[in-house]
Amino acid sequence: MRLRDIPITAWIGIFGIALALFCALFAPFIAPYGETEVVGAVWQEADAQFFFGLDNLGRDILSRLIYGTRTTLTVALCATVISFSLGIILSFIAAVSGGLIDAIFSRFNDLMMSIPTLIFALVVLAVLPQHLIVLILVMAILDSTRVYRLGRAVALDVAVMEFVEAAKLRGEGTAWIIFREILPNTLSPLLAEFGLRFAFAILFLSTLSFLGLGIQPPAADWGGMVKDNKDGIIFGVAAALVPGSAIAALAICVNLVVDWLLKRTSSLKGGRGDA
Amino acid sequence: MSNTSEAGRQPGLRFRERFPLLSLITERLVLSVILLFAVSVLIFGGVEALPGDFATTYLGQSATPQAVANIRAELGLDKPVVTRYFEWLGGALQGDFGKSWASRNSVSEQVGKRLGNSLFLAGFAAIIAVPLAICLGMLSVHFRNRMPDKIINVVSLAAISLPEFFIGYLLILYFAVNFGIATFPATVYEDMGFLERIQTIALPTATLVLVVLAHMMRMTRAAILSVMSSAYMETAELKGLSAGRAIIKHAAPNALAPIINVVALNLAYLVVGVVVVEVVFVYPGMGQYMVDAVTVRDMPVVQACGLIFAAVYILLNMVADILAIVANPRLRHPR
């Protein structure tokens, strides 16, 4: 594969993700003001000094946006990585073992998936203490059900191949079969799924924060910033839309990259060329 | 599914052979009831098993043990878990969800008022979104890989990346604040006229339609495309059938089941999307009720709302499965 073959839409996506990563890594150096620093009047209009204006407490929106990248990206990434590891390992164990283990895991997964994710999260978060680790774990466990479903379907296809059977006859253990035989052969669809889950995690975290159940103030976080500034909308203050567009832009960028990855995988498989 | 045709189950086999459709639908109904029961255990049991005690949260850390014991007895928390579960489930089946801890009002009364509002909003959005999505999906397949398809693809990709609340506030800012042609907040009353009510919920409906439209359209497109790229469509094309005839006689019957699935899946999605949209537009529905209850940890309300949302979701998925079985004869004879 050459760099030239990457379509322009994927480049836009990669650029957007890189920009967000840069903001997250170097937030204290590029943000003009502090995360919780009050620098002026409430909902002050945007000007040369304050690029996006000030928020409901007079904090600089641009600075909070940059700091918010940090929180949003970290939490979303942690949740996705945990949900992915959990989903993949459980689904591969189910696919390799088959029988009772597969049946128990899959039925329990069906049960978890029969409750809408947001509703499930609301019920669980109503009871659990408000803590960052709790939030990440809840997001990860709820999302791992989706990963499990895909992982099991993909792994079942590979698990019946000759080379897996050869490995079994050779006397390799379950761990070897999962990590050395099945995982390398399922990497491509799983990578695309990882991107999709990450985009979903960003949106889900923002939704929870917007509902006041995600990241707690005064830490800056995109969904929470929308919640803080939503009352301004009635007076025509667009402060809430800035973090909203940041969420949208990042999710679009991730989706653009995923779209390209998916197209690449499907063109490898052949077929009539569309879909 | 795999071991249903074994010998030794003669009466069942005979019923299955005589009424394959009826027995499959019965099977699906029973499965849904079991699932719903399991979900109720999960919602109730999960809440019980998790740490955190309402009585101590309610009274604060400095509460005397006597006060804690009193409030536990008042809320019925001193009874064993299993007893309370069956009391709760029995009440829920009769439409009684107990009393709210925060306001001491009957939960069922509130739910009764709000469930109708939520379903009205979601239903109205569905009436607009479903036909629109299917038409756009077909359009996109018709112009596949040409300009209209590419535009629809990029726009819908952008639309599924937008959070619901962002679309909502964008619409409020433009249509309610800047142009003043729509109302915000979308508060509805019981004795509101039908037309007035529709006018009030125009913006939340538009938000929901936009949220669900892109998803539904992309899935419709994928479903139709997978049918169009199958071998029998190629045969139809090669034997010289006109495009319209091939689509009506060969593609449409096969695409029906996946499209029904897509619609049901998105209706289920709509039910959840209602939660955020209701909070944005201050619409008195189930979603707002639940979110408010979660913030103050009002467990009877959270459990009731959770169970109802899950029930609607399971019901929609069940209807989708049954319609798919009816629409596709091949599903009636599982191998």
Side-chain angles (χ1 to χ4, degrees):
Chain A
M1 187 196 73
R2 284 162 302 179
L3 283 180
R4 251 189 320 151
D5 295 340
I6 302 178
I8 180 82
T9 47
W11 275 120
I12 298 174
I14 292 171
F15 175 75
I17 296 170
L19 184 70
L21 273 179
F22 179 77
C23 286
L25 285 176
F26 302 105
F29 303 106
I30 48 177
Y33 302 94
E35 187 178 1
T36 52
E37 193 185 341
V38 176
V39 288
V42 170
W43 282 323
Q44 194 172 313
E45 297 267 319
D47 53 29
Q49 192 190 358
F50 307 113
F51 194 68
F52 284 129
L54 302 182
D55 75 353
N56 62 325
L57 296 177
R59 297 168 295 190
D60 180 36
I61 291 181
L62 178 64
S63 308
R64 278 182 74 74
L65 206 59
I66 292 170
Y67 276 100
T69 321
R70 214 169 222 201
T71 337
T72 305
L73 273 192
T74 319
V75 174
L77 202 62
C78 283
T80 319
V81 168
I82 296 174
S83 93
F84 229 74
S85 323
L86 200 67
I88 294 290
I89 291 175
L90 287 182
S91 68
F92 281 15
I93 289 175
V96 172
S97 323
L100 191 63
I101 295 179
D102 184 22
I104 293 174
F105 281 9
S106 299
R107 289 296 83 73
F108 186 70
N109 195 56
D110 287 350
L111 174 61
M112 296 275 286
M113 283 183 78
S114 68
I115 307 177
T117 315
L118 181 62
I119 303 300
F120 209 143
L122 286 180
V123 171
V124 175
L125 288 175
V127 192
L128 289 174
Q130 279 183 337
H131 198 278
L132 201 60
I133 294 169
V134 172
L135 179 69
I136 292 176
L137 283 179
V138 167
M139 284 174 62
I141 290 173
L142 290 180
D143 210 34
S144 66
T145 54
R146 270 74 185 168
V147 182
Y148 176 91
R149 196 174 229 188
L150 178 90
R152 185 171 169 277
V154 174
L156 272 184
D157 279 349
V158 181
V160 291
M161 297 256 186
E162 280 89 353
F163 57 83
V164 178
E165 206 153 315
K168 273 185 187 157
L169 291 175
R170 217 158 58 220
E172 306 287 5
T174 312
W176 173 284
I177 291 176
I178 288 175
F179 290 109
R180 301 299 294 269
E181 308 288 343
I182 297 183
L183 193 60
N185 286 294
T186 51
L187 219 50
S188 191
L190 291 183
L191 199 64
E193 179 71 6
F194 184 85
L196 269 185
R197 297 317 337 158
F198 181 56
F200 181 77
I202 295 170
L203 291 178
F204 192 52
L205 173 68
S206 309
T207 303
L208 285 178
S209 293
F210 170 72
L211 295 176
L213 302 163
I215 290 157
Q216 297 303 313
D221 149 72
W222 292 352
M225 287 172 71
V226 176
K227 178 190 164 68
D228 290 343
N229 293 305
K230 65 178 181 182
D231 296 331
I233 292 280
I234 311 166
F235 311 113
V237 178
L241 294 181
V242 177
S245 7
I247 299 164
L250 185 58
I252 289 175
C253 287
V254 175
N255 270 326
L256 284 176
V257 176
V258 170
D259 207 39
W260 163 63
L261 280 176
L262 277 177
K263 275 209 183 100
R264 216 164 67 90
T265 343
S266 70
S267 69
L268 284 179
K269 277 189 203 148
R272 274 179 85 189
D274 32 34
Chain B
M1 282 288 186
S2 59
N3 56 359
T4 43
S5 56
E6 276 172 30
R9 296 170 65 182
Q10 280 303 320
L13 190 66
R14 218 170 291 146
F15 179 74
R16 198 174 285 281
E17 275 173 353
R18 280 171 65 187
F19 311 103
L21 192 60
L22 199 65
S23 73
L24 266 178
I25 291 176
T26 323
E27 204 170 82
R28 195 64 191 73
L29 280 173
V30 172
L31 195 70
S32 299
V33 172
I34 296 174
L35 199 59
L36 203 55
F37 182 71
V39 164
S40 78
V41 172
L42 204 63
I43 287 179
F44 193 86
V47 165
E48 292 300 320
L50 294 168
D53 181 56
F54 177 77
T56 19
T57 331
Y58 187 69
L59 295 170
Q61 289 297 330
S62 57
T64 59
Q66 184 57 43
V68 171
N70 279 345
I71 201 144
R72 286 178 68 87
E74 195 192 324
L75 297 172
L77 287 173
D78 52 347
K79 289 182 215 159
V81 175
V82 180
T83 319
R84 271 188 295 137
Y85 170 70
F86 281 107
E87 277 179 15
W88 176 71
L89 189 68
L93 287 177
Q94 294 164 18
D96 175 22
F97 287 102
K99 275 194 172 131
S100 153
W101 286 353
S103 66
R104 306 285 163 97
N105 287 334
S106 160
V107 177
S108 315
E109 208 174 286
Q110 284 287 322
V111 165
K113 272 187 245 163
R114 286 161 180 268
L115 187 61
N117 284 347
S118 285
L119 290 179
F120 184 69
L121 180 61
F124 197 58
I127 290 173
I128 299 176
V130 172
L132 205 60
I134 291 176
C135 285
L136 279 176
M138 286 179 172
L139 209 67
S140 163
V141 171
H142 186 71
F143 291 104
R144 131 183 53 146
N145 290 336
R146 301 214 315 257
M147 216 48 206
D149 179 34
K150 280 187 178 154
I151 293 172
I152 291 179
N153 185 37
V154 169
V155 171
S156 66
L157 191 69
I160 56 174
S161 312
L162 298 181
E164 290 102 337
F165 52 84
F166 180 65
I167 301 180
Y169 284 128
L170 209 60
L171 290 181
I172 293 175
L173 185 66
Y174 280 102
F175 290 101
V177 179
N178 286 4
F179 301 145
I181 49 173
T183 45
F184 174 82
T187 323
V188 290
Y189 313 100
E190 247 171 85
D191 46 346
M192 214 176 193
F194 184 71
L195 272 178
E196 198 184 349
R197 191 179 275 252
I198 283 183
Q199 210 173 3
T200 319
I201 66 164
L203 280 187
T205 311
T207 313
L208 275 177
V209 168
L210 285 176
V211 165
V212 88
L213 185 65
H215 272 284
M216 214 183 320
M217 198 225 85
R218 283 175 80 89
M219 286 158 83
T220 312
R221 178 181 183 272
I224 298 177
L225 262 188
S226 83
V227 170
M228 295 296 272
S229 58
S230 55
Y232 54 79
M233 284 309 288
E234 203 166 5
T235 311
E237 196 181 306
L238 290 176
K239 76 180 179 190
L241 279 188
S242 69
R245 220 178 138 70
I247 287 174
I248 291 169
K249 293 283 272 188
H250 295 273
N254 286 297
L256 200 58
I259 289 179
I260 289 173
N261 239 322
V262 168
V263 169
L265 209 69
N266 281 287
L267 289 189
Y269 183 81
L270 205 60
V271 170
V272 183
V274 149
V275 174
V276 178
V277 171
E278 277 175 10
V279 173
V280 169
F281 288 93
V282 204
Y283 182 80
M286 289 282 291
Q288 206 200 23
Y289 191 40
M290 184 173 187
V291 172
D292 285 349
V294 170
T295 5
V296 298
R297 310 199 163 210
D298 190 349
M299 291 326 294
V301 180
V302 174
Q303 285 170 334
C305 292
L307 191 65
I308 290 170
F309 272 118
V312 173
Y313 192 74
I314 290 172
L315 195 75
L316 282 172
N317 278 317
M318 184 189 77
V319 171
D321 279 2
I322 291 178
L323 283 179
I325 291 171
V326 174
N328 187 349
R330 265 182 301 180
L331 291 179
R332 277 175 232 166
H333 305 285
R335 274 165 295 174

